């Protein structure tokens, strides 16, 4: 079956760095997405990886290892506004997104 | 990035009535639109996939006669929750995939908070 695993909740300190991991199992693979979702709002796109390696975009970076079925989202210089849920989603061979349950990130001052 | 507009953002309706939610792609043609529902503290659950001009494909366990989806044009899809009940109260989100984006990124609407009383 198809499955996405990510931690349910993480806590970090303002100004610090946090890494949110995601492992996936899909029928075929057409990329790995990370979305940010604040409570009561729709998800917003953060990153897309389809090749192995690290993609850096400002304070956020995303890493993919296709052989390991593994990705992580790295958030640097954490700000209070980064408190949100972070959703990992893998696209299968039919271009359907398989969603993780999301990681709730709590930022403490 | 491409913009998807979803309307209304919030709606309260009485049990037994129907509610229509619209999803529009404002600056691109959406060949495929997806409808999700999300319960509190849970991830997105795909309800159905609709392609312009054809019938929607519903996920297992989703009642197609209750959740009517129409994708009549390349810029508009609608979800109608018929005979709504309190258990239908949820956050409904549409997303659209644009032709020409390599069938990758999906753009989300703002979501609709439905409360059935």
């Amino acid at each position: 079956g198809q499955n996405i695993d990510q931690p349910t909740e993480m806590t970090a300190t303002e100004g610090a760095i946090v890494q949110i991991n995601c492992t996936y199992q899909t029928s075929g693979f057409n990329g790995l997405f990370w979305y940010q979702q604040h409570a009561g709002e729709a998800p917003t796109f953060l990153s897309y990886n389809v090749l192995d390696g690290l993609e850096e975009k400002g304070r956020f970076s995303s890493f993919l290892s296709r052989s390991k079925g593994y990705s992580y989202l790295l958030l640097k210089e954490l700000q209070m506004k980064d408190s949100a849920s972070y959703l990992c989603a893998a696209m299968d061979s039919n271009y359907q997104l398989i969603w993780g349950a999301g990681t709730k990130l709590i930022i403490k001052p | 990035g491409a913009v998807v507009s979803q309307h209304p953002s919030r709606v309260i309706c009485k049990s037994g009535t129907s509610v229509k939610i619209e999803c529009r792609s404002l600056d691109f043609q959406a060949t495929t639109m997806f409808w999700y529902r999300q319960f509190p503290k849970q991830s997105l659950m795909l309800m159905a996939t609709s392609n312009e001009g054809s019938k929607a494909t519903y996920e297992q366990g989703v009642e197609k006669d209750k959740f009517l989806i129409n994708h009549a044009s390349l810029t508009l899809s609608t979800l109608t929750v018929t005979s709504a009940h309190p258990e239908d109260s949820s956050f409904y989100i549409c997303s659209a995939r644009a032709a020409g984006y390599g069938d990758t990124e999906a753009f989300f609407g703002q979501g609709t908070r439905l409360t059935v009383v």
Side-chain angles (χ1 to χ4, degrees):
Chain A
Q2 306 199 102
N3 190 53
I4 306 287
D5 284 317
Q6 57 180 127
T8 304
E9 186 174 296
M10 298 182 71
T11 302
T13 304
E14 189 177 16
I17 299 173
V18 71
Q19 177 175 311
I20 303 174
N21 296 323
C22 170
T23 58
Y24 64 89
Q25 289 179 308
T26 54
S27 300
F29 180 75
N30 279 300
L32 193 290
F33 295 79
W34 284 96
Y35 283 85
Q36 180 190 62
Q37 186 179 26
H38 286 99
E41 299 180 13
T44 55
F45 172 79
L46 291 178
S47 68
Y48 170 68
N49 294 64
V50 69
L51 299 176
D52 286 351
L54 186 68
E55 296 272 348
E56 297 186 69
K57 192 185 295 184
R59 294 189 299 115
F60 293 4
S61 303
S62 56
F63 172 83
L64 176 68
S65 169
R66 294 183 63 159
S67 62
K68 296 181 179 178
Y70 167 70
S71 173
Y72 67 72
L73 179 69
L74 190 71
L75 294 78
K76 302 177 184 176
E77 301 170 16
L78 286 170
Q79 301 174 11
M80 297 303 293
K81 66 178 182 179
D82 296 330
S83 293
S85 285
Y86 291 85
L87 305 175
C88 171
M91 182 171 278
D92 67 13
S93 57
N94 294 318
Y95 296 98
Q96 301 290 355
L97 284 175
I98 312 301
W99 292 89
T103 299
K104 182 178 180 181
L105 179 62
I106 300 169
I107 310 295
K108 295 186 174 180
Chain B
V3 178
V4 174
S5 176
Q6 186 173 340
H7 177 80
S9 57
R10 292 179 182 273
V11 59
I12 300 173
C13 71
K14 291 184 178 180
S15 185
T17 61
S18 295
V19 173
K20 179 185 283 188
I21 303 170
E22 292 188 348
C23 182
R24 293 180 184 273
S25 56
L26 299 185
D27 51 2
F28 67 99
Q29 292 185 328
T31 51
T32 306
M33 285 193 175
F34 305 89
W35 287 96
Y36 296 89
R37 66 187 299 181
Q38 186 178 35
F39 291 106
K41 300 182 180 180
Q42 295 186 26
S43 189
L44 302 173
M45 185 192 81
L46 180 65
M47 298 175 66
T49 303
S50 72
N51 293 294
E52 184 265 338
S54 61
K55 290 184 178 180
T57 301
Y58 289 80
E59 296 299 302
Q60 192 172 8
V62 178
E63 300 175 60
K64 61 181 180 181
D65 293 331
K66 180 171 180 63
F67 298 99
L68 302 179
I69 292 173
N70 184 287
H71 192 164
S73 75
L74 284 171
T75 59
L76 174 65
S77 177
T78 61
L79 167 67
T80 301
V81 182
T82 63
S83 187
H85 291 283
E87 57 264 32
D88 298 324
S89 297
S90 186
F91 191 49
Y92 292 85
I93 309 173
C94 71
S95 74
R97 182 178 294 155
Y101 276 83
D103 284 330
T104 54
E105 183 178 352
F107 303 96
F108 284 88
Q110 303 94 322
T112 298
R113 174 74 59 189
L114 171 63
T115 303
V116 184
V117 297

